[in-house]
Amino acid sequence: MEKKNHTWGKWMYWFIFAVAVIIVYKTLDNFSDITNWIKGILDVLMPFIIGIFIAYIFYIPCRNMEKILSKSKFRLVKKKARPISIFIIYLIAIIIIVLAINFIVPALATSVTDLANNLVNYYNNTIEGFKNIPEDSILRKINVEEIANSLANIKIEQFINLDTITQYAKGAIGIANGLFDFFVSFIVSIYILLERSQILGFIKKLAGVIFKEKTYNALGKYFNNTNAIFFKFLSSQILDGFVVGVLTSIAMMILGVKYAILLGFLIGLSNLIPYFGAIVGVGISIIITIFTGGITQAIWLAIIVIILQQIDANIINPKIVGNSLKISPLLVIFAVTIGGAYFGVLGMFLAVPVFTVLKILIQDYIEYKNKVKNITVH
């Protein structure tokens, strides 16, 4: 009887194994259909995902404003502290966006249009300037003619044709859909902030039912740590990028650099990505300044921006970010490289907090295993 049960168990093992192999094979065989299905679900859920992200960004300001209003002497304000705080924070955000659209965006648009219209003239003037450099100059060793011919071989037809026009039309339709999705996301974010206590309460109850107490407490600990790391990183990087953009724009205006606001905005935006972003933003700004203001102005720009970057790295950024992300520069570079390779610009931006969380998990696992070994030895 025991032998029969052993044989039956063996056959069941191989049957389950065969079924698992078939499932894996069919999954891989229809991988494109599965990815399309997942992409379709993500497209539908994207307004809600963006809404969660907006609510996440505004959570701390709304919470702080709610604490202030809850201490009010007025009973109605105290009773409705949460909705009033959300209304105030969103109103401030809308005012900032409107001001940016009315003042900053037109200046940036004008700069971009002017740069695009005069790019050929800037290019020709730069080439002539290189030709007039003295023979003994080190810049003479640069093969300007070859670079010029390479750029001249680029045909406008490669970028503007019927297919690209069709893509532009699809892009315009996509923008309209995007605006609608953003409106839905905006409304979703408001409801999430209003009902955040009920949502978090439900998630905690569900986790408490599914997991054991020890696992539940560990998950709560890592959730709080992860939340603190991500929020600190996102808020500090955005604030740091804004400060760097403003300081760089002012410095460029003093130097008389053309398109100072555009280039300052570019450097501030690129500064959101650790290490690589600043290099790319500064490099593009120097190239544009060579075309628009000459080599001397570009060199001065490089010197000033490098000084500002050092001030940011050693004074401004540590003050804003603090010591919340205790991660080595080598791991930061590795994280940004991996994130950019697989998930593009967004991956480069979020790679650092993700790897910081992974580092904490690995460190805790190592400590746990060492404790187990010590207990076993003793």
Side-chain angles (χ1 to χ4, degrees), residues 301-315:
L301 170 66
I303 294 170
I304 296 299
V305 171
I306 289 171
I307 293 172
L308 288 175
Q309 289 289 343
Q310 291 303 311
I311 293 172
D312 173 60
N314 294 289
I315 299 174

Side-chain angles (χ1 to χ4, degrees), residues 121-253:
N121 293 331
Y122 292 141
Y123 168 77
N124 292 331
N125 293 336
T126 303
I127 297 301
E128 288 298 321
F130 268 107
K131 290 179 179 179
N132 295 328
I133 293 174
E135 292 290 340
D136 57 345
S137 175
I138 190 172
L139 295 174
R140 256 315 205 189
K141 296 180 180 180
I142 302 174
N143 196 341
V144 179
E145 294 295 334
E146 185 178 338
I147 297 172
N149 292 331
S150 299
L151 293 173
N153 289 329
I154 299 175
K155 303 297 183 183
I156 193 67
E157 290 80 5
Q158 295 175 352
F159 302 98
I160 301 177
N161 51 46
L162 184 60
D163 291 335
T164 54
I165 292 172
T166 305
Q167 291 299 321
Y168 292 150
K170 290 181 179 178
I173 297 171
I175 290 172
N177 292 331
L179 290 173
F180 175 77
D181 289 345
F182 181 78
F183 176 76
V184 174
S185 302
F186 186 80
I187 301 300
V188 168
S189 68
I190 293 174
Y191 277 104
I192 290 173
L193 288 171
L194 283 171
E195 301 178 6
R196 61 179 183 267
S197 300
Q198 295 91 319
I199 294 171
L200 290 174
F202 172 77
I203 293 172
K204 288 180 179 179
K205 287 180 181 178
L206 181 63
V209 172
I210 295 173
F211 302 105
K212 295 180 180 179
E213 185 178 356
K214 187 177 179 180
T215 306
Y216 173 80
N217 292 333
L219 287 173
K221 169 192 167 185
Y222 286 118
F223 176 81
N224 291 331
N225 288 341
T226 302
N227 180 55
I229 288 169
F230 267 83
F231 188 84
K232 185 70 176 177
F233 178 81
L234 292 174
S235 58
S236 59
Q237 283 296 107
I238 292 171
L239 180 59
D240 182 63
F242 175 77
V243 172
V244 170
V246 171
L247 292 177
T248 308
S249 297
I250 293 172
M252 288 182 182
M253 288 179 183

Side-chain angles (χ1 to χ4, degrees), residues 273-292:
I273 300 171
Y275 290 98
F276 296 109
I279 294 171
V280 172
V282 173
I284 294 173
S285 299
I286 290 172
I287 293 171
I288 292 175
T289 305
I290 289 174
F291 284 122
T292 58

Side-chain angles (χ1 to χ4, degrees), residues 17-55:
F17 178 76
V19 171
V21 170
I22 292 170
I23 291 172
V24 172
Y25 170 75
K26 293 301 292 181
T27 300
L28 294 175
D29 189 44
N30 298 287
F31 188 72
S32 59
D33 295 334
I34 293 172
T35 52
N36 290 334
W37 179 74
I38 294 172
K39 186 177 180 299
I41 292 177
L42 289 176
D43 288 340
V44 173
L45 296 177
M46 191 53 65
F48 295 91
I49 295 172
I50 296 173
I52 293 171
F53 180 76
I54 295 172

